[in-house]
Every structure is written in structure tokens, then in C-alpha cells.
Amino acid sequence: MRKLIALIIMLTAITTGVFALTVQGTVMDSETGEGIEGATVRFIYLPMADNETRGNGNGNGNGHGQGNGGGNGFNVFTTVTDAEGTYILENLSEGNYIAMARKKTAYPSIRIDVELTEDAVVDFELVPASCEPQGRFNLFMGRKLK
């Protein structure tokens, strides 16, 4: 009977999200401090042992929506920042993650290692991509123009 009660409590805890963690934060421009709208934020779960469960899909999200399941056999949680540059990811497990943020073409990717043991705030500061010309090249001949 005690085992049945323990099982019911555990199933209740799982279905109510007691073991699920939430990560939220802001993706900001490192020069202006302003939030970056439309930046992609991705948390990739790093299993500690070969026998841990791994995902088999691809994450995808829009705004405060999120995707999970993972490419390459890992759980991947992905979302896109809102107009203020904020994001939220829910239902993550405790453990180690690679956290990445980027804004296509305007801001190169940044990567940090994160260990989640409780709900957390993880902010990113992205450095704008350099638009300074590095020289001109003849595309057909491969030689530098003067």
C-alpha cells in the first residue's frame, strides 16, 4: 500500500510540473543595452550517462512559444525573443546545458555552459557583427582589386 501511495505522489508531482524548471531572461545588445527582438535562444541538454533518455526531434519556437525534443539525440529547447528581447523556456530538467543565443546576420552566436538545479534567469549580451569591409575581391578571378 505504501508503494502505491508513493507512486501516486510521484505521478502527481510529475504531472503538475514539480520536477520541471523554468529559465527566463533577456537577450541584449552589448553596446546599447537594449533588448534584441527575434533572437533565437537554445538550451541543449547534456546527458551525463549513456543510459539517460535523449530526444529525437528538433526544437522550434516563436515568441514565448517553445519547442523541445532534440536534434542529434539530445533534448533541445528553443524559443525566440519578444519585442523587448525577453524569453522563457519551461519544462527543463535539472542538469547541464549548453545555452546559446544569436540573431541571424546582425549578432554572432554566443555560448555559455549552464547547470540548472532550480528556476533560473540567464541573460545574454550579444556583440553586433562588424560591417566594416575587409577588402574587395574579384569573385571571378579570385584576386584582390586595387
Side-chain angles (χ1 to χ4, degrees):
M1 183 68 170
R2 287 183 186 200
K3 288 183 182 180
L4 179 60
I5 293 172
L7 179 62
I8 291 171
I9 291 171
M10 183 181 290
L11 289 174
T12 303
I14 291 171
T15 59
T16 58
V18 171
F19 297 119
L21 300 177
T22 298
V23 177
Q24 59 186 347
T26 305
V27 179
M28 298 169 282
D29 182 300
S30 66
E31 294 178 1
T32 67
E34 295 179 8
I36 301 171
E37 180 179 7
T40 301
V41 177
R42 180 170 289 142
F43 276 67
I44 304 169
Y45 178 70
L46 301 174
M48 297 300 289
D50 289 338
N51 61 354
E52 286 194 44
T53 304
R54 295 181 179 186
N56 59 6
N58 284 313
N60 194 340
N62 187 353
H64 280 301
Q66 61 192 23
N68 57 43
N72 301 323
F74 295 100
N75 287 325
V76 179
F77 298 84
T78 304
T79 192
V80 177
T81 58
D82 64 14
E84 288 79 39
T86 62
Y87 73 92
I88 187 166
L89 289 169
E90 298 173 316
N91 300 319
L92 283 76
S93 301
E94 282 189 18
N96 295 309
Y97 291 81
I98 295 171
M100 298 185 297
R102 69 178 278 225
K103 171 81 184 228
K104 217 176 205 181
T105 67
Y107 297 89
S109 180
I110 185 172
R111 172 196 156 158
I112 58 174
D113 295 328
V114 176
E115 181 180 359
L116 293 180
T117 57
E118 60 187 351
D119 291 347
V121 175
V122 179
D123 293 328
F124 296 90
E125 285 190 8
L126 301 185
V127 178
S130 172
C131 294
E132 296 178 11
Q134 301 298 317
R136 296 181 355 188
F137 291 88
N138 181 330
L139 297 176
F140 299 106
M141 302 301 291
R143 60 182 179 195
K144 192 169 184 173
L145 297 176
K146 295 182 181 184

